[in-house]
Amino acid sequence: AQSVAQPEDQVNVAEGNPLTVKCTYSVSGNPYLFWYVQYPNRGLQFLLKYITGDNLVKGSYGFEAEFNKSQTSFHLKKPSALVSDSALYFCAVPGSQGNLIFGKGTKLSVKP
Amino acid sequence: SQTIHQWPATLVQPVGSPLSLECTVEGTSNPNLYWYRQAAGRGLQLLFYSVGIGQISSEVPQNLSASRPQDRQFILSSKKLLLSDSGFYLCAWTGANYGYTFGSGTRLTVV
């Protein structure tokens, strides 16, 4: 079965420092991988996706993610964090019904 | 452009009362539609999905039901709410390459 795991419940970084939010996956076949962000009491917003091609995927708001097949990982990164990046981040893979299967989410807290 | 509307934004309902949450999509036809529930601000649980009018699949047996009376309308219902039905409900639709668009969500509190 397709699944993703986000090993960290929360990530704390100082503003201006680089950030990494971790995601590992377990899929059969070629993986499609997604990152979404959720601000409080809002729906999820698409950040980026990996379908094929370059292992480094660039997305919205300065975020990028690195696909690593040998480590079955798709970590979300940003070179310099902003306080406004504080939110809940979800990694996802497609399910069998055209749906997305989400990780449990990682709360990112960026302090000034 | 495609948009998705979900309402109401917040709802407080007593235990045992009925529920109806509505989701509509504009700018596309025959979308796949989904209802998710998010409890305690964390993981998302797929509740129902629909690939067409009148076609509903349930992922989790529960106190809720869904209907799709029109191509771009998806409704989540309950006859009698339970305390455990409290949560944040999200509607979504998919386009090509699993492009997922979410509604803004409904915060349901059952008291």
Side-chain angles (χ1 to χ4, degrees):
Chain A
Q2 319 284 77
S3 66
V4 288
Q6 295 180 244
E8 303 155 316
D9 282 344
Q10 182 155 345
V11 171
N12 299 312
V13 298
E15 188 174 30
N17 283 0
L19 70 87
T20 299
V21 182
K22 295 180 180 178
C23 172
T24 58
Y25 64 88
S26 175
V27 303
S28 55
N30 294 324
Y32 287 11
L33 298 160
F34 298 80
W35 276 103
Y36 283 79
V37 60
Q38 185 182 29
Y39 298 99
N41 293 310
R42 302 296 298 276
L44 277 68
Q45 296 177 33
F46 172 78
L47 278 178
L48 53 80
K49 67 180 177 184
Y50 172 83
I51 302 295
T52 186
D54 288 342
N55 289 343
L56 187 63
V57 180
K58 294 191 181 296
S60 306
Y61 312 123
F63 283 92
E64 57 189 25
E66 185 171 10
F67 171 67
N68 188 317
K69 188 173 183 178
S70 63
Q71 297 184 9
T72 61
S73 67
F74 190 55
H75 300 333
L76 182 70
K77 300 180 179 182
K78 188 172 183 181
S80 179
L82 301 173
V83 173
S84 58
D85 292 329
S86 298
L88 193 56
Y89 290 81
F90 290 95
C91 182
V93 291
S96 59
Q97 310 299 340
N99 60 310
L100 284 176
I101 299 171
F102 292 89
K104 64 179 182 177
T106 298
K107 183 178 180 181
L108 173 66
S109 178
V110 182
K111 301 294 186 185
Chain B
S1 62
Q2 301 96 352
T3 56
I4 181 167
H5 302 282
Q6 191 180 338
W7 68 92
T10 59
L11 192 59
V12 180
Q13 292 284 97
V15 169
S17 64
L19 172 73
S20 181
L21 302 181
E22 189 163 343
C23 172
T24 59
V25 180
E26 295 179 357
T28 187
S29 59
N30 197 30
N32 286 356
L33 296 170
Y34 303 87
W35 278 111
Y36 284 87
R37 179 169 60 198
Q38 185 178 30
R42 281 291 176 166
L44 293 112
Q45 178 187 35
L46 178 63
L47 301 176
F48 300 95
Y49 67 93
S50 173
V51 298
I53 296 174
Q55 301 179 60
I56 307 295
S57 297
S58 174
E59 287 293 300
V60 183
Q62 59 211 327
N63 185 42
L64 302 170
S65 63
S67 61
R68 187 168 176 175
Q70 300 180 42
D71 180 45
R72 290 170 285 181
Q73 184 184 31
F74 202 25
I75 298 171
L76 183 70
S77 304
S78 174
K79 292 182 179 178
K80 288 186 177 182
L81 283 169
L82 306 172
L83 287 174
S84 57
D85 292 324
S86 294
F88 192 52
Y89 289 82
L90 289 159
C91 180
W93 74 277
T94 55
N97 284 335
Y98 299 96
Y100 239 53
T101 302
F102 283 86
S104 54
T106 296
R107 172 74 58 192
L108 172 66
T109 303
V110 182
V111 296

